[in-house]
Amino acid sequence: QSALTSLFRSIDKEQENQLNRSHILVLIKEFYSNIPINMKKYITNPLDWSDKDTVYSPTPTPSILTTPFCPSGSIPIETPKTLTTPAVQETVEVEEPVEAPEPVVAEEATDESASPEKSVRLPPEDDDEEEVKELKHDIELIGQEIPSHLTQPREQEIDIKINLEEFIYVTERLLGEDPHPRALTALSEFLEDSFQETPQQRQSRQLEEKLAAKHHAMMIKINDLFDEWDVDKLGFLDRTEILAVLSQWQKNSTKPYNIEMSKQICKSVEAVEKKDLLRDDFLDLCQTFHKVLDSDDYMDRLLDFVHLVVQTQRGDLRRERKRRRWLEVMELLPKISGSDHSLYFRSFFDIIEKDFAYHGTGRLINAYIALIEVDPDADEEDEDKTLLRYVASTTNDQNILMGRTLYATQKCISNQVRRSGKAVYINQIRNNNQVHLWAMDRWAVDEDRDGAFLVLPLKNDQEKVVGVVGVDTLLSANPTQFLPHEISFIQNVVRQLSSGFSFLDARHKFSRTLISLLETIPRKESAVLSTSCYVVEPVPHVPSGPESPEKPDEYVLRHVMSLNPKTNIVEIMSGVNRETIRRSDSTFRYSEDTAPDNPNMDGKSCEPQSDESTTTDNIRDYLFACLDKRENVQNRAYGTDHLAMCVEDKDKVPVFVIDLDTGKDKSKILKQAQIKSVRNLLNKMVQVFEQLLEEVSSDEKKFEADWEETLPDDLRFALRFERMILEDLKRRMSNMDVGGLSEIKSYNEPPAIIGTVIQVVMLMLGICAEEELQEWSKIKTHLNSELLKKLAAFDPLAKDTKVDIHKANDRLKGLTAAEVKKGGSMPTYLLYQWVIDVISIIRVGETS
């Protein structure tokens, strides 16, 4: 090792502590080729070496530490300390996480010549920890594995210089662990003779090394440019993008020579047949550029210009990608928010606040949403009988705006926007007298403060204005004006907000009809103790690549409402009670192989996996079995029998899953006739739902009766559903002749159940006064064909109809359909159903 160190010092004529790597390797190969054959058995063949074999490993080889070279008869020389030249470390490039919510871990390299301590280059600045957290946003996206060819590191750049430590490593690799003295002497003499240069040779060699160093630096620069330009880590560049950037360079050229060179360069790109250029193709193209320019300085200027343009485009692309993802979230949120307006509005505010935090130099913004409502205090002569009510705002404005109203007579920007349907932008609020400030104290914080104000119309699917959205920068430091790309993004988000609002508005209006459905099912089928409604929401599918296979539609179930069997009141789930059920969370496994004890269960069962899974908080997998099969699934779970029924729209897309609980008594399991009766109710509900969607899409209300004109939409469609049920009952009662009433009429003293039902019918129709209801002899005289006509013609919503449902409920005294069906006749049961349906319609109508 001492001899090799002396050899290195002697041939380092410039005393730079480094030699030209390629020159040394050429000389070593020439030395091997020229030495006698009998000498070659003492050294290894350098002609078989690869480039990586000549790279020094940071772990010292045992020969360097334990077997120092010692000439015979001399004292062993102390091993010199290891030089501090840093080892060449391999850099592993990590693909930028686009859709995966978790950071990607680079695979470990297995090359023996690589450094044991590998430094991993971090992703670009847009993939820092906060942004990775943001990419998880308000929904759970499916993570994708990165293809292995995209995570492979670029080939390691080998330094063109070789230092003392590397020189010793290479020569020891040539001479072996126990070098032969003759071989070492011959190598030393050969290298020393080879480095004896004349001044002209030295000058020529230095020029070559300088050109090689420039070429090496340029190749590194081109490779780095390729990596930065390839934002998606696809391994290729688009030829059209390269041509577009070079065309900008051509436009910026002013000197005739530069113009001519730029034209030739653009033509050389156009001549490339490939559309997608790999790394080697790009390197060849840059070599062509260098030949055209015929100057290293011009080539450096061109690369610097392209690098600047790529950096600018990368920032714009990063911003547009993030915004595109946020718009996709806004598009999906209405379908997965459980018809919750507040969640949707909060997500809207969160998106624009984050956009300004990332791309708006951290500026603070405020925003609000105001919807148009009918003004109850408007005069008859007023042309505009509406007002704007603030329904949502960012946190800073909630105490100031929530619940406030802007009347049509007030002159302000918001009223101007809702009348014109066009957005208004004010870059200086302080100088505009049409901006109405609810909190004047904000000006006192800073006398020089000003802000910008952007108000946009919120429209439905028919482009009708239903509200306004306002965004301001009153709380931001300067500059406060909106940039063009910020205004464009806010417009796109508000446009998506308008579309989602129409969808949510239709679902919200239909919620009252769902309440009526859950109340009606136990009323019609007394075996049903409790009912629950789950909204079917899609799970977004993110493809793993252009050729990824299509996956079947996947859904989650959101529990929105249930009928409490103890109170007979429908409870609407909200907040933490609005449970989201995923297939993977299920603790029950649906099985068609287990034969049930009861023959009415269609040969299917659902059993818990453990004793801990018997709580009501656990998930019921048979709901997904119903959703997958699009058919009724009846199972026993949690000790009670359940029937799951899927509700589809006209396009066969699942919308709701209804869960019916019939209790522990297996004799109460619904028979086919009862299931058909419940399905009939679901079909009527779907019919009403389609009518609502049709009105929303056409923005044209279609009233079926005069009483509908004064009702809000949610009650109007709920009453329409209730009336459809009553009309269906009337059709069944039309088949009942006078003979059916004769059976009731034949009683001298009817059973208590029959007597109570007939009394309530007479009271509601106004046939008998309340004091006459105790005289059966007078009541039964009215059990004739006239009674059937009055039942068929009765309209509970007519203006002249006056029914005291409280007195009717007092007389029924909690009488159930099961008791009437068991203790009375079929005509009595139908009359009881008529009473209950009429009471339900009047009760819903009274809430308006």
Side-chain angles (χ1 to χ4, degrees):
Q1 194 177 55
S2 177
L4 294 177
T5 302
S6 301
L7 175 62
F8 181 87
R9 302 298 184 194
S10 64
I11 62 179
D12 182 17
K13 304 298 183 180
E14 307 295 336
Q15 296 183 356
E16 295 178 347
N17 291 324
Q18 57 184 4
L19 302 173
N20 187 283
R21 177 184 296 272
S22 59
H23 189 203
I24 290 294
L25 295 178
V26 168
L27 291 177
I28 287 177
K29 293 177 182 179
E30 184 179 347
F31 166 75
Y32 179 83
S33 301
N34 294 331
I35 61 175
I37 297 178
N38 60 349
M39 183 71 70
K40 291 183 179 180
K41 62 183 180 180
Y42 300 118
I43 61 179
T44 60
N45 186 359
L47 302 178
D48 298 333
W49 292 354
S50 66
D51 291 340
K52 290 185 178 180
D53 292 336
T54 64
V55 178
Y56 171 70
S57 173
T59 303
T61 59
S63 61
I64 297 179
L65 293 177
T66 61
T67 317
F69 171 74
C70 180
S72 61
S74 62
I75 301 175
I77 303 173
E78 183 180 357
T79 303
K81 296 182 179 179
T82 304
L83 300 180
T84 58
T85 305
V88 179
Q89 292 185 336
E90 181 180 1
T91 301
V92 181
E93 295 184 8
V94 181
E95 182 183 10
E96 176 182 346
V98 177
E99 295 293 345
E102 298 296 336
V104 179
V105 180
E107 298 180 359
E108 294 184 1
T110 58
D111 194 341
E112 295 179 357
S113 64
S115 169
E117 296 181 2
K118 300 177 178 61
S119 62
V120 179
R121 191 175 71 183
L122 295 177
E125 59 180 5
D126 54 307
D127 287 324
D128 56 15
E129 182 179 357
E130 292 186 1
E131 182 164 352
V132 171
K133 291 182 180 179
E134 186 278 328
L135 292 182
K136 296 181 179 179
H137 20 81
D138 303 299
I139 62 175
E140 297 179 7
L141 296 182
I142 304 174
Q144 306 298 327
E145 292 186 1
I146 299 176
S148 59
H149 72 278
L150 298 182
T151 59
Q152 294 297 326
R154 195 178 76 198
E155 186 175 354
Q156 179 178 334
E157 300 287 351
I158 301 177
D159 195 356
I160 62 174
K161 296 293 185 179
I162 185 171
N163 57 25
L164 172 61
E165 209 167 28
E166 291 178 303
F167 176 77
I168 294 176
Y169 171 78
V170 171
T171 51
E172 282 202 344
R173 187 175 183 86
L174 173 72
L175 300 175
E177 295 183 358
D178 188 13
H180 194 280
R182 288 178 57 196
L184 177 59
T185 302
L187 176 64
S188 300
E189 292 176 354
F190 179 82
L191 291 180
E192 288 178 351
D193 292 341
S194 300
F195 275 87
Q196 296 296 330
E197 301 174 315
T198 64
Q200 292 79 8
Q201 292 175 333
R202 183 183 301 110
Q203 185 177 4
S204 177
R205 178 179 56 81
Q206 291 176 346
L207 180 61
E208 291 179 359
E209 291 179 356
K210 183 177 180 181
L211 293 176
K214 280 189 175 182
H215 177 75
H216 182 74
M218 185 174 297
M219 294 303 292
I220 294 177
K221 198 171 187 178
I222 294 174
N223 275 294
D224 291 341
L225 176 61
F226 182 91
D227 292 332
E228 187 165 5
W229 205 337
D230 184 17
V231 179
D232 296 325
K233 305 301 179 188
L234 300 175
F236 60 84
L237 300 179
D238 191 342
R239 184 191 62 183
T240 56
E241 292 184 6
I242 298 175
L243 186 59
V245 174
L246 294 175
S247 298
Q248 294 184 33
W249 183 60
Q250 179 181 350
K251 293 178 182 178
N252 294 340
S253 301
T254 56
K255 296 181 179 180
Y257 174 79
N258 293 344
I259 295 175
E260 183 62 28
M261 293 299 101
S262 61
K263 287 181 180 180
Q264 293 185 27
I265 285 178
C266 291
K267 289 181 180 179
S268 64
V269 177
E270 294 173 352
V272 177
E273 296 180 356
K274 290 185 177 180
K275 180 181 178 182
D276 300 326
L277 303 184
L278 301 177
R279 184 184 298 273
D280 291 340
D281 300 327
F282 184 69
L283 293 176
D284 293 341
L285 186 63
C286 290
Q287 293 281 7
T288 305
F289 296 165
H290 189 266
K291 291 179 181 178
V292 172
L293 295 173
D294 195 23
S295 169
D296 291 338
D297 291 338
Y298 278 113
M299 188 65 187
D300 284 337
R301 293 179 188 177
L302 173 60
L303 292 177
D304 291 340
F305 175 82
V306 175
H307 184 266
L308 179 61
V309 174
V310 169
Q311 278 189 326
T312 305
Q313 289 179 346
R314 182 180 175 85
D316 295 341
L317 179 62
R318 182 172 63 247
R319 182 181 66 212
E320 293 306 318
R321 283 186 172 179
K322 187 183 293 294
R323 287 177 171 176
R324 193 181 305 118
R325 185 175 293 114
W326 282 333
L327 290 175
E328 291 172 356
V329 172
M330 285 294 297
E331 182 180 4
L332 185 62
L333 272 175
K335 301 177 182 178
I336 64 173
S337 60
S339 305
D340 190 347
H341 284 84
S342 59
L343 174 62
Y344 191 49
F345 292 157
R346 285 200 306 271
S347 300
F348 163 73
F349 295 138
D350 188 47
I351 284 175
I352 60 175
E353 284 178 333
K354 285 182 177 179
D355 182 76
F356 272 78
Y358 281 115
H359 311 303
T361 62
R363 283 178 294 166
L364 183 64
I365 63 150
N366 307 303
Y368 68 84
I369 298 174
L371 300 180
I372 297 177
E373 297 180 2
V374 177
D375 185 0
D377 300 327
D379 297 331
E380 291 294 334
E381 60 272 10
D382 291 341
E383 295 182 1
D384 191 346
K385 297 181 176 60
T386 60
L387 53 81
L388 278 174
R389 186 180 301 278
Y390 295 92
V391 296
S393 70
T394 49
T395 305
N396 294 324
D397 285 346
Q398 285 183 355
N399 295 333
I400 302 172
L401 296 180
M402 292 302 293
R404 290 183 179 269
T405 57
L406 283 174
Y407 293 96
T409 55
Q410 291 180 264
K411 293 184 178 180
C412 58
I413 300 298
S414 296
N415 279 331
Q416 176 185 339
V417 170
R418 74 171 175 123
R419 291 192 182 99
S420 64
K422 297 180 180 180
V424 174
Y425 171 58
I426 299 173
N427 57 5
Q428 290 182 340
I429 298 178
R430 187 184 291 271
N431 298 331
N432 195 296
N433 56 6
Q434 290 190 3
V435 178
H436 181 79
L437 290 177
W438 294 101
M440 295 297 296
D441 57 341
R442 286 189 175 176
W443 292 124
V445 178
D446 187 355
E447 294 182 356
D448 297 331
R449 171 179 290 176
D450 204 343
F453 188 32
L454 178 63
V455 185
L456 306 98
L458 186 65
K459 300 180 180 180
N460 60 13
D461 293 338
Q462 293 72 41
E463 297 298 316
K464 179 181 178 181
V465 178
V466 296
V468 297
V469 177
V471 184
D472 68 73
T473 58
L474 274 174
L475 295 181
S476 289
N478 292 330
T480 58
Q481 283 73 25
F482 292 107
L483 299 177
H485 68 84
E486 293 171 342
I487 296 178
S488 177
F489 173 68
I490 295 176
Q491 287 177 325
N492 291 331
V493 177
V494 171
R495 191 177 297 113
Q496 194 61 57
L497 177 70
S498 299
S499 177
F501 178 78
S502 299
F503 180 89
L504 285 179
D505 191 46
R507 287 291 182 92
H508 180 72
K509 291 177 180 177
F510 191 66
S511 61
R512 187 61 187 83
T513 305
L514 286 176
I515 294 175
S516 295
L517 171 71
L518 298 189
E519 293 175 341
T520 303
I521 292 176
R523 196 169 73 220
K524 296 298 181 181
E525 299 299 335
S526 56
V528 179
L529 302 180
S530 176
T531 55
S532 298
C533 178
Y534 297 87
V535 174
V536 180
E537 298 180 351
V539 174
H541 167 56
V542 180
S544 58
E547 298 181 358
S548 60
E550 288 291 335
K551 291 187 177 181
D553 294 335
E554 185 55 71
Y555 303 95
V556 297
L557 299 175
R558 192 183 294 272
H559 192 190
V560 292
M561 57 182 68
S562 289
L563 177 67
N564 190 324
K566 297 181 179 179
T567 61
N568 288 328
I569 296 176
V570 174
E571 299 175 350
I572 300 177
M573 307 301 173
S574 60
V576 295
N577 295 324
R578 180 167 285 188
E579 181 182 27
T580 300
I581 303 177
R582 296 172 178 82
R583 190 188 301 271
S584 59
D585 297 336
S586 178
T587 57
F588 278 77
R589 288 297 173 261
Y590 176 76
S591 173
E592 296 186 0
D593 300 329
T594 307
D597 297 335
N598 193 294
N600 294 322
M601 291 183 66
D602 299 337
K604 305 175 181 66
S605 66
C606 187
E607 297 299 336
Q609 292 180 336
S610 64
D611 295 338
E612 297 179 356
S613 62
T614 57
T615 62
T616 56
D617 294 334
N618 289 334
I619 313 304
R620 302 181 177 186
D621 194 57
Y622 67 89
L623 298 175
F624 287 98
C626 166
L627 188 61
D628 294 338
K629 297 175 179 293
R630 304 290 199 274
E631 62 182 26
N632 306 329
V633 175
Q634 202 163 17
N635 286 282
R636 189 171 183 84
Y638 308 103
T640 60
D641 293 303
H642 293 260
L643 174 67
M645 308 183 74
C646 182
V647 181
E648 300 175 303
D649 60 13
K650 62 180 181 180
D651 299 323
K652 300 301 180 181
V653 176
V655 183
F656 305 104
V657 172
I658 306 298
D659 183 18
L660 309 181
D661 185 353
T662 57
K664 298 181 179 181
D665 189 355
K666 292 187 177 182
S667 63
K668 299 292 186 181
I669 294 177
L670 299 182
K671 310 297 188 296
Q672 290 299 323
Q674 295 172 304
I675 295 176
K676 184 177 180 181
S677 174
V678 176
R679 176 57 66 180
N680 183 40
L681 294 176
L682 298 183
N683 292 339
K684 288 180 171 55
M685 180 198 69
V686 173
Q687 185 178 347
V688 173
F689 185 54
E690 295 297 337
Q691 293 174 359
L692 172 60
L693 294 180
E694 184 180 355
E695 282 196 10
V696 171
S697 61
S698 63
D699 196 29
E700 180 182 356
K701 295 186 178 182
K702 300 177 181 179
F703 301 114
E704 295 184 352
D706 295 339
W707 55 266
E708 289 191 352
E709 298 180 4
T710 59
L711 293 178
D713 291 337
D714 56 343
L715 290 178
R716 179 162 61 90
F717 284 98
L719 285 173
R720 188 177 292 184
F721 171 72
E722 298 267 6
R723 280 178 61 86
M724 291 173 66
I725 297 173
L726 179 61
E727 293 301 322
D728 187 57
L729 177 64
K730 288 181 179 181
R731 282 191 292 271
R732 293 176 59 192
M733 294 178 64
S734 63
N735 298 325
M736 182 177 63
D737 54 12
V738 181
L741 296 177
S742 299
E743 179 185 350
I744 302 175
K745 192 175 181 180
S746 63
Y747 288 111
N748 291 327
E749 285 295 333
I753 292 178
I754 296 177
T756 299
V757 172
I758 299 300
Q759 288 175 4
V760 173
V761 170
M762 297 299 173
L763 180 64
M764 295 177 69
L765 290 176
I767 295 177
C768 295
E770 191 172 0
E771 58 273 8
E772 298 176 349
L773 295 179
Q774 301 302 325
E775 300 181 19
W776 175 251
S777 58
K778 291 185 178 181
I779 291 178
K780 65 181 182 179
T781 58
H782 299 289
L783 298 177
N784 50 35
S785 58
E786 290 298 322
L787 176 64
L788 297 178
K789 292 180 181 179
K790 289 183 179 180
L791 289 171
F794 184 78
D795 185 1
L797 294 174
K799 293 183 180 180
D800 55 349
T801 300
K802 295 181 180 180
V803 177
D804 191 342
I805 60 174
H806 302 289
K807 290 183 178 181
N809 282 324
D810 291 341
R811 287 192 171 273
L812 291 175
K813 296 179 181 179
L815 189 65
T816 64
E819 295 172 345
V820 175
K821 196 170 187 178
K822 182 177 180 180
S825 61
M826 180 54 66
T828 306
Y829 180 73
L830 292 177
L831 291 173
Y832 173 82
Q833 291 290 341
W834 179 89
V835 170
I836 297 300
D837 288 347
V838 170
I839 290 176
S840 178
I841 291 176
I842 295 176
R843 180 170 55 84
V844 175
E846 284 182 348
T847 60
S848 62

